[in-house]
Amino acid sequence: MLLFVLKRLGVMLLTALCLTFVVFWLTNLEPNLEKLAKEQANARMTDEQVESWLEGHGYRRPLLLRYGEWVGGVVQGDLGTSSVFRKPVAEIVGERLGYTGWLMFWVMVVMVPSALLIGVLAGMREGSRTDRTLSTFSIASTATPEYVSGVILVVLFASSRGGLSPIFLERGTLLKGVATSATDSITFENFALPVATMALYGMGYIARMTRASMAEVMTAQYIRTARLKGVSFPSIVIRHALRNALIAPFTVIMLQFPWLLTGVVIVETLFNYKGFGWTLVQAASNNDIELLLSCSIVAVLVVLVTQLISDVGYVWLNPRIRVR
Amino acid sequence: MTDTDDTPILEIDKLSISFFTQGGEIPAVMDFSCTVRPGEALGLVGESGCGKSTVALGVMQDLGRNGRITGGSIRFRGRDLTSLNAAELRRIRGNEIAMIYQEPMASLNPAMKIGRQLMEVPMIHQGASAAEARALALEVVEAVRLPDPERMLRAYPHQLSGGQQQRIVIAMALMSKPSLLILDEPTTALDVTVEAGIVELVKDLGARFGTSMLFISHNLGLVLETCDRLCVMYSGEAVERGSIADVFDRMRHPYTQGLFRSIPLPGADKNARPLVAIPGNFPLPHERPPGCNFGPRCDYFQAGRCDAAPVPMADVPGDDRHETRCLRHDEIDWLAGPVASADTEPVTPGDVVLSVRELRKYYEVAGSAFGTGEARVVKANESVTLEAREAETLAIVGESGCGKSTLAKLLLGLETATAGSITLAGEEIQDIAVEARDRGTVSSIQMVFQNPFDTLNPSHSVGAQIMRVLELFGVGNSTAERRERMLELLDMVKLPRAFASRMPRQLSGGQKQRIGIARAFAGTPKVVVADEPVSALDVSVQAAVTELLTEIQRRNRTTMLFISHDLSIVRYLADRVMVMYLGHVVEIGTTDEVFSPPYHPYTEALLSAVPIADTSVVKKHVVLEGDIPSAMNPPPGCPFQTRCPRKAEVPGDRCETEVPPLRDLGHGHGVKCHLSREVLDGMEPVIRIA
Amino acid sequence: MEPLSWGGILSGILVAFWPVWAGLAVIFAGSYAARRHLGLYGKLFSSPIGLIGLALVLFWALTALFAPQIAPFAPLEQIAALKNKVPGTPVPDSGGLYYLLGGDNLARDVFSRMVWGSQSVLIIAPAATLIAFMAGIILGLPAGYFGGRLDTALSFLANLVLAFPVILLFYLLVTPEIAREPMVSLGGLGLSLPQMMAAVLFLFPLVFVVMLLRTRFGRRPAQLAPRLGLALVVGLWAYFGLAFNADPLGVLYMDPFLLNIFVSVVFVNSPTVFRIVRGLTMDIKTRDYVSAAQTRGEGPWYIMLWEILPNARGPLIVDFCLRIGYTTILFGTLGFFGLGISPESPTWGMTINEGRRLLSVYPHAAIAPAVALMSLVLGLNLLADGLREQSLKD
């Protein structure tokens, strides 16, 4: 088991190195460097001025050397300085990650239990009316990306001209369409919409996986064994089916995290919540090399750690492949 | 028990069950009646699709959403099961009626410990406390003769072998001492020697607890060993009912007669007394003929009479509760032998075509699921030596893990050997993988696969698949020539030429297997490896496919390596036999030598384990303990020593320490055993015809 | 003229879509009559879910086809008086035309832009998915079939791409500078980064077709030569035209921005396809008919392409539908971040992005494309669900 984890850590490290190098290379492409120079110094520089600025700031040294320097810095805990925010990268990333952490926390709290419940209820009796209704809901929710559901939800709950607000209130809106203030204090009013937007998209996918898994388990021979043993239906579902049915969705939930990153970026942009996703957009549109690199490390780590957890969890849930 | 002997435990009367699909109603069981009395074991026999499992599920009232009982009644100790509500049904299921299934692994919950699965039964039905339930579980696990019951209860199902799992399933069924036990093909997924142990256990437990049994099987031999009475089913109907002795020795239905004539019993011989296959195919549920369902395949069919109206069950006078669904049962001369097909001369074997010397194949496997443990070596084949002559049939016999499939892979070049040699027609091919073999070598050794549903590619038409083989083997110069040859091959395997454009899913299992044979013989091979070619087929189809295979082989003078676990068919078919166990050849010789003493102790046990559907056969009783060891972790010394009932007859610890040599007992009859010559010579025949 | 009521708007929209209704009626009537001969597609007619999905997908496909007939205005046509006007506002001096779904903040017709927007999605999403599938198949088959080091290496690469945050990749890759700037020069041809990626990715369909023909007719040169020749001529022509903008006839051409987006979408989609194909291959290769093919001496590529692939088609067709939906979402995401084809183009993602700034005051501009995108993806998902259900029944 230990060796397995070590092996996985090795692969993770290699992946992180490869990916950060690709990001480094992309951000150091000629057009991006030119953009950076004009951004930092003067938008109307001539080509010669750009060249000398780049030369002067060390951007003309060999790529590998500079990448090596950056990696060396990271190993010593120095993530560099952001060229947009003019602050140490570590400080920015830490702060913004905290905000996003809250968002993710609430999204998970809302999304996972409801998705599992929908999936189990639908898969329990395949083909029933409950199943059809819940399945259609889950399909609809996977078909609605955040930028669509966000728009619809804002119109419904946070538009002074349309949706539900004018019906119930004389002035103002039911919920806030902007979540900027949530970095100071989270309230239902300012956080409900971003959380709902994100949870809705992921929910359908997990629910469908759970349903498929549950439906498959319910047709298994051992469920028939239990039924013919005289076990009652609720007891079959809870004691015999549930654990087997949750193995597959667990992996899916874990692999859902990296997908949530795109969602985070969209939602934070849409609701102007200044978390990690919002920072990533700022860094990318300004070619803030060192901030981007750190963002990519964080993203890659999230992906790889969740993969690791999903593998370990899969083994833990499934006694069949437990190490003998 | 308050039952007196004349209230039946189970009484099914004129039961009809249908499945309702988008295409309409499909009747699965029609007008089915049977009775099981206290302490009685009733066998339900028939081919796949005849509705025998549906009857069992009907009794359990578990037909799924599409199935419905459309007529008749099922009375369990006088109560009509069809009228019970869900709660009443739950009280009966698992408590008074218990069921055992075909796939032990699939019928145990993989994520639940065995103990909890067993304890659940008394906790639901008797309201027992956890401690009481556990005590009972321990007792029952001991009763099914599992070693170390405490450990068993703590284990997960996957940690047990197939035989142990089936014992647990049986234990689970016995937890509440049911009055009726339904066994649906309980040993089909198990090896023969393991099957023998389970059969013995079921018989003993039935006698001990006085449980009535409904035993569902396709294997007549097994029913003979376990049951008192028998009901033969065909296409949704019971066609004959009676005591074992009546039905086996004085059958009164042509289908029952056909079944017995198509299974290789001792005395059958491929030259003098060949098997007689039932012609035609099993009718699909929506294509059943009018009148007698068996009519179109029956030798005694009379147009205008047998196809006029549904045939009722009729009593056979003189016998005890013996009934048949045949209009002509009192007209047919039941003692007349089958219409004799022309006797064929035994073939004389020619030169040695294939010779294998000291062949070894070791695999390295990763230690655990994570690939972290140290790599282990699996010795799949350990010094295999054999010779096969032209036109000869060499049978390779063994149970799972014995290395027979690995040997086939080595011969065909799907794997390359670790050591030793394979010489095919003078050329050494052990190190040449199939991609590297030249066209001639590839086409001269071909294979017939086991599973008919897997052997043809579902995406290409039958004709195209045969033509592809011809193209690869360079038969014919143009597509037109190859097309002609393909049609000839269809003639050869006795299929209509129109099948060329069919897709595999439109064919029955037997027809697919015929295509598989046509494909293997397309390039007129010297050697054909047939890997259990009929074991997945129904009994009546088995005979036809076996006959076809031997006929083509005889005509082409092909050498056939016939891999099988079924000794009955091996005795019928083979000229010489090789018995394998855990990668070792433990016995080799002519069919007569292997089937009569002296035996290797494993061969002896194997012979005793095979159920034979003949009331006149008396078998010596040898039941092996435990399961076949894993090839990953073979025992030291003789591979068979962990289960050998004759180990005590070898002095000292030679069996544990030394691999015995293959000793020649004369005429090339080899036995790999430490037993002394005297002990070997003193052995009695296992099978005797009384 | 009076503004239209909601009922009037609805009937106005229904009338505007008349070519779509006619097309749907023809297709459905024809397919229903011939459903028994149409295989899996024909079986959809017994699945209500699948049928709804098919109708939605066909609706948008026909809308894209008949966009010039349906849309009353050009995508960039501005009528200053109608800036941010509510749905159903009449267009002055137009002879009875309306802004059915109102005007956007640049006074363009929201309804027309939604209709025009369907075109780019319905070309790019299926085409990009198709190429991603070819790449995934060509790499996934050998990885699953041979296993070993090849599998380890390819799987590592696939996981690498999968671990890359999509959004970051798009931000770095899909920029006008990268699309335009040549990176290397190849035979006098300056190649930008997207062109280089296209050079690799567009090769897969060509390789796929060539391999398919070569393995099938390898032993019949007379039949192989003409087929292979035709495939190579058409394939190479399309390849050079689309990837390098070097079509000698000047017919096939792809806008650099479009190529950039297209390539990025293919790039992030193909590893997932790779994983699916690899898994299916590992499953199917244990079948006896694969062993049968090996024992008769078939080459590995024949086995992969003609023995394994056809039997993986069920799950692949289902995933193809789902993946077009996902690609549509991705494409919308790009638009949402302003990384679309060109700033004025009416793609749904971009329109949503423009509309969201004034969302709380003028919701209509963003709602129309949002609903359009959702219904298309929903249709694809329902279609996939119906197909899956029907293919399992077999």
Side-chain angles (χ1 to χ4, degrees):
Chain A
M1 194 65 193
L2 185 69
L3 199 65
F4 166 72
V5 175
L6 283 178
K7 237 182 193 175
R8 289 301 301 257
L9 285 175
V11 174
M12 274 169 69
L13 204 65
L14 188 63
T15 312
L17 275 176
C18 288
L19 284 187
T20 47
F21 181 74
V22 172
V23 174
F24 198 81
W25 177 67
L26 280 172
T27 47
N28 280 287
L29 286 177
E30 204 48 43
N32 286 336
L33 282 182
E34 201 176 307
K35 201 164 80 178
L36 177 74
K38 288 182 178 169
E39 201 89 43
Q40 292 295 309
N42 177 359
R44 294 201 195 96
M45 287 199 290
T46 61
D47 286 357
E48 289 79 45
Q49 283 170 315
V50 168
E51 189 56 43
S52 68
W53 189 89
L54 289 174
E55 189 81 51
H57 287 78
Y59 286 102
R60 280 292 173 243
R61 290 177 300 139
L63 190 71
L64 271 177
L65 177 75
R66 287 188 295 129
Y67 179 69
E69 280 173 8
W70 178 79
V71 172
V74 171
V75 171
Q76 289 162 14
D78 174 19
L79 294 176
T81 314
S82 159
S83 60
V84 181
F85 298 98
R86 321 245 173 217
K87 271 201 278 185
V89 168
E91 203 177 294
I92 299 170
V93 171
E95 184 194 353
R96 303 300 166 127
L97 264 182
Y99 296 145
T100 300
W102 279 110
L103 180 61
M104 295 288 265
F105 172 76
W106 284 109
V107 167
M108 284 293 163
V109 165
V110 172
M111 177 174 78
V112 174
S114 36
L116 291 182
L117 190 68
I118 291 175
V120 168
L121 287 179
M124 197 164 79
R125 292 185 202 266
E126 204 184 354
S128 65
R129 190 181 291 266
T130 325
D131 176 24
R132 297 242 171 84
T133 319
L134 291 176
S135 295
T136 312
F137 169 76
S138 350
I139 292 181
S141 107
T142 47
T144 320
E146 293 92 347
Y147 53 89
V148 170
S149 55
V151 163
I152 295 175
L153 286 175
V154 167
V155 171
L156 274 181
F157 295 104
S159 162
S160 51
R161 289 267 191 104
L164 303 173
S165 303
I167 303 174
F168 292 107
L169 300 174
E170 298 217 345
R171 219 159 356 116
T173 54
L174 287 171
L175 299 167
K176 281 191 183 168
V178 186
T180 320
S181 59
T183 44
D184 300 326
S185 75
I186 295 170
T187 63
F188 183 75
E189 202 188 14
N190 63 24
F191 226 46
L193 286 184
V195 168
T197 304
M198 270 188 79
L200 211 57
Y201 185 43
M203 195 189 304
Y205 189 62
I206 300 177
R208 290 179 76 184
M209 285 294 160
T210 316
R211 176 193 172 271
S213 168
M214 186 72 189
E216 195 192 318
V217 166
M218 286 307 281
T219 60
Q221 179 82 51
Y222 57 83
I223 294 298
R224 168 168 276 173
T225 310
R227 202 163 56 228
L228 299 189
K229 226 158 50 168
V231 183
S232 64
F233 188 78
S235 178
I236 287 181
V237 171
I238 293 165
R239 305 207 3 213
H240 287 266
L242 216 51
R243 179 164 171 189
N244 291 298
L246 289 184
I247 296 171
F250 174 78
T251 341
V252 173
I253 295 170
M254 279 301 144
L255 296 179
Q256 208 41 21
F257 270 95
W259 289 61
L260 285 178
L261 184 72
T262 311
V264 164
V265 177
I266 293 174
V267 166
E268 289 185 1
T269 311
L270 191 62
F271 293 95
N272 205 18
Y273 179 69
K274 290 178 176 141
F276 179 74
W278 183 85
T279 313
L280 191 133
V281 173
Q282 298 306 314
S285 33
N286 294 302
N287 206 41
D288 187 339
I289 297 177
E290 288 182 333
L291 186 54
L292 264 181
L293 283 169
S294 294
C295 285
S296 62
I297 294 186
V298 171
V300 168
L301 278 183
V302 168
V303 174
L304 298 177
V305 168
T306 49
Q307 267 178 13
L308 185 72
I309 295 177
S310 98
D311 283 357
V312 173
Y314 184 75
V315 174
W316 176 73
L317 276 172
N318 191 351
R320 257 176 292 188
I321 56 166
R322 198 171 284 180
V323 196
R324 261 160 268 175
Chain B
M1 259 179 241
T2 55
D3 299 291
T4 52
D5 247 14
D6 40 356
T7 27
I9 291 287
L10 181 71
E11 195 174 15
I12 301 178
D13 189 38
K14 299 206 164 44
L15 177 70
S16 295
I17 298 174
S18 289
F19 289 96
F20 293 87
T21 63
Q22 278 184 350
E25 180 181 350
I26 296 172
V29 173
M30 293 155 311
D31 185 28
F32 178 88
S33 309
C34 76
T35 313
V36 183
R37 298 194 176 179
E40 196 175 64
L42 173 73
L44 205 53
V45 173
E47 296 173 274
S48 55
C50 72
K52 53 191 193 302
S53 296
T54 311
V55 170
L57 292 177
V59 173
M60 285 308 229
Q61 297 285 301
D62 189 53
L63 291 164
R65 223 162 349 119
N66 298 329
R68 209 176 312 147
I69 293 176
T70 51
S73 66
I74 305 170
R75 305 185 84 79
F76 174 71
R77 304 170 110 176
R79 296 169 80 190
D80 192 344
L81 290 177
T82 51
S83 65
L84 298 185
N85 65 28
E88 290 169 323
L89 212 54
R90 262 207 313 278
R91 275 198 289 279
I92 286 190
R93 287 173 173 172
N95 187 26
E96 299 191 63
I97 310 179
M99 190 159 173
I100 293 167
Y101 322 83
Q102 182 166 356
E103 291 280 343
M105 181 67 186
S107 44
L108 293 170
N109 189 335
M112 210 166 165
K113 285 187 178 163
I114 301 258
R116 276 195 55 206
Q117 299 194 45
L118 289 174
M119 283 154 61
E120 212 175 33
V121 179
M123 287 167 83
I124 295 170
H125 293 296
Q126 276 85 39
S129 71
E132 285 164 5
R134 196 175 170 84
L136 184 63
L138 268 179
E139 201 179 295
V140 177
V141 169
E142 221 153 333
V144 295
R145 290 174 222 150
L146 278 169
D148 202 353
E150 278 287 351
R151 191 180 59 87
M152 286 288 159
L153 293 190
R154 283 195 308 272
Y156 281 103
H158 69 274
Q159 293 164 323
L160 273 51
S161 71
Q164 289 173 331
Q165 285 168 357
Q166 193 61 301
R167 279 168 198 264
I168 291 295
V169 175
I170 293 173
M172 194 150 74
L174 293 173
M175 283 297 283
S176 60
K177 312 247 181 330
S179 40
L180 177 66
L181 194 57
I182 300 176
L183 301 104
D184 188 358
E185 306 258 7
T187 57
T188 308
L190 304 175
D191 275 314
V192 194
T193 53
V194 180
E195 173 184 83
I198 298 280
V199 167
E200 195 192 41
L201 176 74
V202 168
K203 263 162 50 183
D204 284 4
L205 293 173
R208 201 159 109 201
F209 296 111
T211 316
S212 307
M213 284 192 271
L214 186 61
F215 193 99
I216 297 169
S217 180
H218 66 280
N219 187 331
L220 284 165
L222 215 52
V223 169
L224 170 67
E225 291 192 1
T226 48
C227 297
D228 311 308
R229 296 181 59 78
L230 166 67
C231 175
V232 182
M233 285 189 79
Y234 181 78
S235 192
E237 293 178 326
V239 294
E240 187 165 4
R241 259 198 309 268
S243 68
I244 291 282
D246 286 341
V247 177
F248 270 64
D249 296 334
R250 294 187 309 167
M251 71 271 300
R252 285 295 177 268
H253 194 280
Y255 174 64
T256 319
Q257 188 184 43
L259 274 185
F260 277 102
R261 285 183 180 171
S262 56
I263 51 179
L265 296 173
D269 178 85
K270 68 175 163 181
N271 297 314
R273 273 184 62 194
L275 301 180
V276 185
I278 303 177
N281 279 307
F282 204 81
L284 296 173
H286 51 274
E287 291 171 355
R288 292 194 179 112
C292 176
N293 277 344
F294 189 59
R297 301 174 72 186
C298 182
D299 290 339
Y300 311 106
F301 179 75
Q302 271 187 344
R305 187 169 163 210
C306 293
D307 56 0
V311 183
M313 277 304 232
D315 268 320
V316 178
D319 293 343
D320 170 39
R321 288 183 288 149
H322 186 182
E323 290 161 276
T324 171
R325 201 183 283 278
C326 179
L327 286 175
R328 308 193 55 208
H329 69 91
D330 46 2
E331 302 166 20
I332 298 168
D333 177 7
W334 294 101
L335 297 173
V339 186
S341 55
D343 278 7
T344 40
E345 285 298 306
V347 279
T348 41
D351 298 332
V352 172
V353 174
L354 176 76
S355 136
V356 174
R357 297 253 159 270
E358 296 289 323
L359 191 69
R360 278 162 217 268
K361 176 67 188 176
Y362 296 170
Y363 291 100
E364 271 196 19
V365 286
S368 73
F370 292 114
T372 48
E374 59 188 280
R376 278 191 276 183
V377 175
V378 174
K379 298 177 177 178
N381 277 176
E382 189 68 285
S383 76
V384 174
T385 299
L386 65 91
E387 266 181 5
R389 293 170 182 275
E390 189 188 64
E392 184 183 57
T393 303
L394 172 67
I396 301 167
V397 179
E399 297 175 280
S400 56
C402 75
K404 53 190 201 271
S405 301
T406 305
L407 179 60
K409 281 185 187 161
L410 289 171
L411 292 173
L412 287 154
L414 296 179
E415 305 273 355
T416 50
T418 310
S421 73
I422 302 171
T423 316
L424 175 70
E427 196 190 346
E428 290 212 352
I429 55 167
Q430 70 278 4
D431 297 325
I432 314 173
V434 66
E435 304 94 68
R437 290 184 181 181
D438 60 64
R439 194 194 278 180
T441 314
V442 167
S443 66
S444 64
I445 180 159
Q446 279 295 300
M447 178 146 172
V448 180
F449 291 86
Q450 175 178 13
N451 187 348
F453 300 97
D454 221 23
T455 180
L456 300 182
N457 189 324
S459 299
H460 303 306
S461 76
V462 164
Q465 298 197 42
I466 300 180
M467 300 241 306
R468 177 73 196 178
V469 181
L470 295 172
E471 188 182 332
L472 272 179
F473 291 167
V475 179
N477 296 318
S478 65
T479 310
E481 270 179 45
R482 284 193 283 267
R483 189 167 177 77
E484 190 48 40
R485 176 80 187 121
M486 178 266 288
L487 293 173
E488 285 169 26
L489 282 167
L490 284 181
D491 295 343
M492 183 183 85
V493 295
K494 304 195 173 100
L495 287 177
R497 288 190 166 199
F499 273 39
S501 56
R502 293 222 185 156
M503 296 306 272
R505 67 184 140 81
Q506 297 168 294
L507 270 56
S508 71
Q511 288 165 341
K512 284 184 200 172
Q513 211 55 333
R514 283 166 193 260
I515 299 292
I517 292 172
R519 194 175 55 185
F521 280 92
T524 48
K526 293 194 180 69
V527 179
V528 166
V529 181
D531 185 4
E532 311 242 14
V534 297
S535 67
L537 300 177
D538 273 317
V539 181
S540 69
V541 185
Q542 273 186 7
V545 174
T546 312
E547 285 310 302
L548 177 76
L549 197 56
T550 42
E551 186 192 318
I552 298 173
Q553 180 209 6
R554 190 194 307 269
R555 202 182 317 140
N556 296 352
R557 289 188 66 77
T558 316
T559 307
M560 180 155 76
L561 297 189
F562 189 88
I563 299 177
S564 181
H565 69 279
D566 180 357
L567 283 174
S568 308
I569 198 137
V570 164
R571 169 169 24 200
Y572 170 75
L573 208 63
D575 302 309
R576 289 197 305 129
V577 178
M578 179 168 111
V579 183
M580 290 185 76
Y581 188 81
L582 275 185
H584 291 260
V585 178
V586 294
E587 183 165 358
I588 187 166
T590 65
T591 307
D592 285 342
E593 284 166 348
V594 172
F595 278 78
S596 52
Y599 306 108
H600 185 278
Y602 175 62
T603 317
E604 190 182 22
L606 207 52
L607 279 171
S608 160
V610 177
I612 297 171
D614 190 337
T615 49
S616 62
V617 165
V618 181
K619 282 194 302 186
K620 197 175 146 199
H621 195 68
V622 186
V623 174
L624 293 182
E625 290 297 313
D627 286 306
I628 303 167
S630 152
M632 295 252 252
N633 197 5
C638 171
F640 189 54
Q641 53 114 336
T642 52
R643 302 171 77 200
C644 185
R646 290 182 181 271
K647 201 166 107 179
E649 293 171 50
V650 177
D653 59 354
R654 280 177 72 199
C655 291
E656 283 101 344
T657 50
E658 246 179 83
V659 180
L662 193 67
R663 279 153 60 195
D664 193 345
L665 305 180
H667 319 290
H669 180 202
V671 171
K672 202 177 233 176
C673 188
H674 287 304
L675 282 176
S676 65
R677 190 72 213 214
E678 295 76 62
V679 177
L680 287 173
D681 285 342
M683 280 181 176
E684 286 167 17
V686 174
I687 298 170
R688 272 184 296 119
I689 296 176
Chain C
M1 274 196 298
E2 286 293 300
L4 285 175
S5 66
W6 283 108
I9 293 172
L10 194 67
S11 51
I13 292 174
L14 287 177
V15 171
F17 275 119
W18 73 267
V20 174
W21 308 129
L24 274 177
V26 170
I27 292 174
F28 270 83
S31 314
Y32 185 76
R35 67 187 182 284
R36 291 188 198 288
H37 310 283
L38 293 172
L40 189 58
Y41 169 71
K43 280 199 214 138
L44 266 184
F45 284 82
S46 51
S47 151
I49 291 278
L51 222 49
I52 296 173
L54 182 66
L56 279 171
V57 173
L58 280 177
F59 175 87
W60 286 112
L62 291 168
T63 303
L65 192 66
F66 294 116
Q69 282 75 40
I70 297 167
F73 301 96
L76 296 179
E77 198 174 330
Q78 290 168 305
I79 298 171
L82 295 177
K83 182 176 171 185
N84 286 333
K85 280 288 180 284
V86 294
T89 310
V91 178
D93 316 319
S94 66
L97 288 177
Y98 292 88
Y99 267 18
L100 284 168
L101 293 175
D104 66 7
N105 65 335
L106 292 173
R108 299 169 299 195
D109 180 23
V110 171
F111 176 72
S112 298
R113 284 179 66 80
M114 177 187 80
V115 169
W116 287 111
S118 65
Q119 283 191 327
S120 54
V121 171
L122 278 145
I123 294 169
I124 293 179
T129 312
L130 191 68
I131 295 189
F133 258 75
M134 301 278 187
I137 287 172
I138 286 285
L139 298 174
L141 281 173
Y145 185 72
F146 294 114
R149 292 214 181 122
L150 180 75
D151 182 27
T152 314
L154 285 175
S155 293
F156 178 75
L157 278 180
N159 288 336
L160 204 64
V161 179
L162 286 176
F164 209 105
V166 175
I167 204 75
L168 186 61
L169 185 78
F170 282 164
Y171 256 113
L172 295 173
L173 208 58
V174 188
T175 60
E177 291 85 1
I178 293 227
R180 243 182 264 120
E181 195 85 9
M183 297 267 309
V184 290
S185 136
L186 197 85
L189 219 60
L191 290 189
S192 65
L193 183 63
Q195 278 181 320
M196 279 161 45
M197 286 168 71
V200 177
L201 292 172
F202 288 4
L203 210 55
F204 285 111
L206 196 62
V207 171
F208 182 75
V209 174
V210 169
M211 290 303 271
L212 219 53
L213 290 173
R214 226 184 62 89
T215 47
R216 187 87 179 104
F217 299 106
R219 288 177 194 252
R220 278 175 268 166
Q223 280 162 295
L224 176 65
R227 289 181 180 140
L228 200 58
L230 184 70
L232 279 177
V233 168
V234 175
L236 286 174
W237 174 47
Y239 179 68
F240 281 104
L242 295 178
F244 305 125
N245 191 14
D247 173 15
L249 305 175
V251 182
L252 291 175
Y253 160 76
M254 232 165 148
D255 177 80
F257 293 107
L258 188 65
L259 183 77
N260 197 347
I261 290 171
F262 194 85
V263 166
S264 318
V265 171
V266 173
F267 185 69
V268 298
N269 260 323
S270 37
T272 324
V273 182
F274 164 85
R275 291 226 292 214
I276 295 169
V277 175
R278 173 177 168 272
L280 287 168
T281 308
M282 295 213 289
D283 177 25
I284 297 177
K285 78 169 175 183
T286 60
R287 301 302 181 89
D288 276 351
Y289 53 80
V290 174
S291 306
Q294 288 168 336
T295 56
R296 66 173 184 257
E298 296 282 9
W301 278 100
Y302 178 89
I303 294 177
M304 286 185 248
L305 289 172
W306 292 97
E307 299 282 340
I308 294 175
L309 189 58
N311 296 305
R313 68 179 184 273
L316 287 184
I317 290 172
V318 171
D319 188 69
F320 188 72
C321 286
L322 285 177
R323 200 145 295 282
I324 295 178
Y326 176 62
T327 312
T328 307
I329 291 180
L330 264 188
F331 187 57
T333 310
L334 279 169
F336 180 79
F337 285 109
L339 306 169
I341 305 169
S342 64
E344 306 86 38
S345 66
T347 60
W348 293 338
M350 293 196 111
T351 324
I352 295 172
N353 185 36
E354 285 167 27
R356 77 181 168 91
R357 293 172 218 283
L358 295 167
L359 205 52
S360 56
V361 206
Y362 304 113
H364 58 268
I367 281 285
V371 170
L373 190 135
M374 191 182 98
S375 64
L376 173 60
V377 180
L378 180 64
L380 285 160
N381 276 283
L382 292 176
L383 179 62
D385 216 52
L387 285 172
R388 174 175 18 230
E389 198 182 301
Q390 294 304 317
S391 69
L392 285 181
K393 272 190 190 162
D394 219 1

